[in-house]
Structures are given as C-alpha cells and as structure tokens.
Amino acid sequence: MRMTAHGRDRGQVTIEFLGMTPLIILTLVLMWQFVLVGYTYTLAGNAADEAVRAATAAAPGERQAACEQAGLSKLSAAWRGNAEVRCGGSGTGFVTADVTLGVPVLFPGSIAFPFTVHAHAGAVEEATN
C-alpha cells in the first residue's frame, strides 16, 4: 500500500496543538495576572478617594479613625487583609490619604507578590459653621 501525501500528515494538527497548549495557558495566566494588577490599582485609588472624603467631613479628633474606616470599607476581604491606609494633613486645611495594597497572585485572597500598589488622594477640608 502506497502512502499518499495526505496520509502522512494525519494527526499533525493534534500534535502541533498539544505542543502549543502550554504557551496558550501561560499567555492566559499572564493576561489574568495583568488584569489583577490593574484592578488592584483601581481599588487602591478608590479606597484613597473614599478615605480622604471621609476625613474631610469628620471632626479633627475623629479624622484618622474615619479615614481608615472609609478606606477599608470599600475593599473586599481579599484585598483588605494586607491593606494599609494612612491619613494625614498639613494643618492648613488640606487632608491626604495614602493606601497601599498587595497584588494577589492569580487568586484574590491568596498569596501576594512582594511588590505593592500605592494610591494617594488629597482634598481640602470642608468648612464647618
């Protein structure tokens, strides 16, 4: 029996796909990780905005507690575990909030990368009458 050109290529697509599968999976994992990094930046910025907004509306003695509570309140438990919220001000009516979040590895709530995402927000205190 003589083998035709078509018969010699049988199964070639399957072998090539199996060879490319690890590369396809690696690409998808890397894309997902980049999504998590971007989402962490978004969460950190939003938490800083919420924290500084609460601090401007709070009484001076309650500013730190209100700031930290507001900064952490919008974060899910997966990001809240390693979050750090710092609030301050220069005493000239300008309040700042800094939020630091760890970037999770593949699944929120699991281990985090050794680098963190930082966000900063500032606002002028609300006038009290």
Side-chain angles (χ1 to χ4, degrees):
M1 179 174 171
R2 187 167 171 225
M3 185 72 88
T4 63
H6 178 66
R8 286 182 285 179
D9 291 340
R10 184 170 297 178
Q12 185 66 28
V13 172
T14 303
I15 297 299
E16 288 176 2
F17 179 73
L18 287 175
M20 290 297 294
T21 299
L23 185 61
I24 292 168
I25 291 171
L26 178 66
T27 302
L28 291 173
V29 165
L30 287 175
M31 287 175 53
W32 174 246
Q33 189 59 54
F34 286 132
V35 166
L36 281 177
V37 170
Y39 187 58
T40 304
Y41 270 102
T42 301
L43 287 176
N46 184 53
D49 288 342
E50 291 289 331
V52 79
R53 187 176 301 125
T56 59
E62 301 169 359
R63 185 168 292 146
Q64 184 71 25
C67 181
E68 288 178 8
Q69 181 183 6
L72 294 174
S73 69
K74 300 297 182 185
L75 296 174
S76 68
W79 272 272
R80 194 179 310 132
N82 58 3
E84 183 180 330
V85 179
R86 291 179 310 279
C87 305
S90 61
T92 60
F94 191 73
V95 180
T96 61
D98 294 294
V99 175
T100 304
L101 296 178
V103 178
V105 178
L106 296 181
F107 301 104
S110 65
I111 61 173
F113 278 117
F115 65 90
T116 55
V117 169
H118 303 282
H120 176 79
V124 177
E125 290 181 42
E126 294 181 8
T128 57
N129 293 333

